[in-house]
Amino acid sequence: MSLSSTLENWFAPSAATASWTLDHLRGVDPVLGFAIVMVVAVVLGEILRRRFRLPRLCGHMLTGALASPLALRLLERTDLDPVKPLIDLAIGVLVFELGSRIRPRWLIDNPWLALTCVLEGVLSGLGVYLGLLAFDAPSLSAALAGAVAMSTSPVLVLALVHQMRPRGQVTERLLMMSAINSVLAVVALKAWGVLAASGGLAAAEPGLEPAITSALLVVSGSFLLGVAAGWVLTQLTKQVRGLTTAPVLQIALVIIAAMLAAQWRLSPLLALLVAGMVARSRMAHGLTVEPQLGTAGATLSVMLFICLGMLFTLDGFSTLWPWVLVIVVARLIGKGIAIAVLAKPSGLGWRQAGALTIALQPMSSLAVLLTADTFGWPSQLPGANGGVLQALLISTTLLQFIGPLLAERAVRDLAQECPPISNTKVP
């Protein structure tokens, strides 16, 4: 096509200006389109933060949702696949940082806290499973929904912590529990793979034993890979301590650990969590994890939340709302019961227990997203009922968007662990 004909096509008059704009925005190069969406996301996130005191990440996710097929259809979800390696890097850095914040010694000193971390994940997953069964969902698909529903999104939690800078029992437990229930979700999903390989919850075929062995190898292999990555980081950091290249070393090892985990069919999430824990335990305050890693890290974070927003879906809500309601409510009740029952023995007040329960609500598909080749991870779960899977995606959409709002209010207002907000107007 010649330059003149291209200009004619672009500047030709149209009957509907809005339609003309959207049609041509949809036709631009996906990279250019994504860059435009990023500009809007940054501006919208700042407006929502300054005027309404909402988390910036809500503005980023809202922009992604508006640009997705859910609304304006400026970008297709398949347009995200080329940038998935960058998104995996953003997730990996955040997961590594979360691991570096975990203090395993705390769990040893306070076994009631350790029990709470396990029980809140198990009860929420079991509650979702039993609730869906009560509403006639297929058992294998209900188990899948329960496994995913166990986890609280570690990337959303860390983004809120970066923004609010809270300090206190609720914040520390929120970080601890989001890490542990994400690991539980990984283990549960491996168990679900065993069930799918055996043909269901009641069946047991000859392939069951190899599947169990494979699941155990994945968990143990991910743990060992994380230990090795943390040890290597400790040794290499001694050579570059105090240099500006230290963060580059961290990023490089995060990439290597995540790629090796994917190559060896292990869990990148578990490996990076363990790597962060090992590095922190060996280096103590010598490990400086850069939350944003400069402008490049900030860019990756914005891209990550735009992509999460573009994955939002409400398709089929009018018919699937009973299953969606079951997932949301059963998950809340399961976590609430576990935290309330063990609040006093673990050293938590009732107000703090309520705040922690609410703060744990942002749900995540991270446990499966990191292991998928594309953002269309539901297609990589053979045997899952389409209706239950769609209900799970809708529940994740609601809790990823509303959850951060609830979590911020809980930590700031109920737990009162954030610095006071200045009454001075922001220009």
Side-chain angles (χ1 to χ4, degrees):
M1 182 181 293
S2 66
L3 178 60
S4 59
S5 60
T6 301
L7 292 176
E8 275 186 340
N9 289 336
W10 269 90
F11 293 102
S14 174
T17 304
S19 174
W20 180 90
T21 304
L22 289 180
D23 287 342
H24 285 83
L25 279 176
R26 292 187 192 105
V28 300
D29 184 275
V31 176
L32 176 59
F34 197 81
I36 295 172
V37 170
M38 286 184 66
V39 172
V40 176
V42 172
V43 175
L44 181 59
E46 199 60 33
I47 290 174
L48 292 181
R49 184 61 185 170
R50 295 189 177 198
R51 294 190 178 276
F52 303 103
R53 297 294 181 185
L54 299 179
R56 291 184 181 89
L57 59 91
C58 289
H60 303 161
M61 290 190 291
L62 179 60
T63 303
L66 291 175
S68 74
L70 183 66
L72 300 178
R73 208 179 190 87
L74 299 180
L75 294 172
E76 298 293 336
R77 293 189 178 100
T78 53
D79 294 335
L80 299 179
D81 291 339
V83 300
K84 189 174 187 298
L86 292 176
I87 303 306
D88 287 345
L89 173 59
I91 296 174
V93 170
L94 289 170
V95 170
F96 176 81
E97 182 190 350
L98 177 61
S100 71
R101 289 171 176 257
I102 301 303
R103 294 179 292 151
R105 183 70 191 179
W106 192 17
L107 298 177
I108 298 174
D109 295 338
N110 189 345
W112 292 109
L113 172 60
L115 181 59
T116 304
C117 292
V118 175
L119 191 61
E120 64 89 11
V122 171
L123 285 187
S124 57
L126 184 61
V128 169
Y129 170 66
L130 295 176
L132 288 175
L133 284 185
F135 279 76
D136 301 322
S139 59
L140 190 62
S141 299
L144 171 64
V148 176
M150 295 172 72
S151 65
T152 297
S153 174
V155 295
L156 292 178
V157 167
L158 263 181
L160 288 174
V161 169
H162 289 161
Q163 178 178 294
M164 297 187 297
R165 303 294 179 185
R167 296 180 65 88
Q169 281 278 319
V170 172
T171 300
E172 294 302 319
R173 293 180 187 227
L174 175 60
L175 291 169
M176 179 78 73
M177 290 181 181
S178 64
I180 292 178
N181 62 33
S182 294
V183 173
L184 289 175
V186 169
V187 175
L189 283 168
K190 295 303 176 183
W192 183 87
V194 172
L195 295 174
S198 64
L201 291 172
E205 296 181 358
L208 181 59
E209 184 176 345
I212 294 176
T213 303
S214 176
L216 292 175
L217 287 174
V218 166
V219 174
S220 58
S222 301
F223 179 82
L224 292 175
L225 176 60
V227 171
W231 182 85
V232 170
L233 177 60
T234 302
Q235 299 304 312
L236 294 181
T237 300
K238 296 176 182 178
Q239 310 301 320
V240 297
R241 182 169 295 170
L243 301 178
T244 57
T245 51
V248 178
L249 179 62
Q250 292 178 14
I251 294 177
L253 282 172
V254 165
I255 294 173
I256 291 171
M259 291 187 66
L260 287 177
Q263 182 71 26
W264 295 340
R265 299 188 179 278
L266 303 177
S267 169
L269 186 148
L270 179 54
L272 293 173
L273 276 174
V274 173
M277 293 169 61
V278 171
R280 174 64 67 188
S281 66
R282 294 183 63 88
M283 299 170 62
H285 296 293
L287 176 65
T288 303
V289 180
E290 300 288 339
Q292 300 297 332
L293 295 173
T295 54
T299 302
L300 289 177
S301 296
V302 174
M303 289 177 62
L304 168 60
F305 293 117
I306 290 175
C307 288
L308 290 180
M310 289 190 66
L311 297 176
F312 284 178
T313 179
L314 295 175
D315 293 342
F317 179 78
S318 59
T319 57
L320 296 172
W321 68 265
W323 283 350
V324 174
L325 185 62
V326 165
I327 293 172
V328 173
V329 174
R331 187 173 178 274
L332 172 64
I333 292 175
K335 292 184 181 297
I337 290 175
I339 293 172
V341 168
L342 298 174
K344 290 299 182 182
S346 66
L348 204 62
W350 293 117
R351 186 185 182 94
Q352 292 172 310
L356 182 57
T357 300
I358 296 173
L360 283 167
Q361 291 316 298
M363 198 166 85
S364 172
S365 56
L366 183 63
V368 289
L369 185 59
L370 267 177
T371 59
D373 297 326
T374 69
F375 283 101
W377 60 263
S379 62
Q380 303 185 28
L381 298 171
N385 177 270
V388 174
L389 199 54
Q390 184 62 23
L392 178 62
L393 293 174
I394 295 172
S395 303
T396 304
T397 293
L398 296 176
L399 291 178
Q400 279 187 338
F401 187 74
I402 300 174
L405 306 178
L406 298 175
E408 185 181 60
R409 297 299 187 272
V411 173
R412 188 181 68 199
D413 300 331
L414 278 179
Q416 298 180 343
E417 293 185 353
C418 296
I421 297 177
S422 174
N423 291 326
T424 305
K425 285 187 177 182
V426 181

